[in-house]
Amino acid sequence: IRLHQKDVRNVKQTPPELNIPLPVTSLLQQILGALVNEGESESDHSAILKFVEDLAKVEVKAGG
């Protein structure tokens, strides 16, 4: 999660003159910050799914 935070910070530094829309970047940055606050900074990207599952009160199951 800490690595994802760094990557999102880099994306947010995209020069404004490029006019690239980034509609979910700020939301992702907030989610990553919340995960760090919850002690998940060393977790992989599956922590993002767990965060969304907890918000939605659902569990995503692998197909098979």
Side-chain angles (χ1 to χ4, degrees):
I1 295 303
R2 190 172 29 85
L3 181 61
H4 290 308
Q5 263 192 318
K6 176 192 67 74
D7 293 341
V8 169
R9 274 194 302 272
N10 289 340
V11 167
K12 289 195 75 168
Q13 292 175 357
T14 301
E17 61 271 10
L18 293 178
N19 294 319
I20 299 172
L22 302 169
V24 297
T25 305
S26 293
L27 177 58
L28 179 57
Q29 190 172 38
Q30 291 176 25
I31 290 170
L32 295 171
L35 287 168
V36 167
N37 290 338
E38 293 173 3
E40 299 290 342
S41 64
E42 298 303 315
S43 297
D44 67 14
H45 57 272
S46 64
I48 299 168
L49 176 60
K50 176 78 170 90
F51 184 91
V52 174
E53 286 177 331
D54 291 346
L55 280 178
K57 296 180 178 26
V58 298
E59 181 181 351
V60 176
K61 297 188 182 208

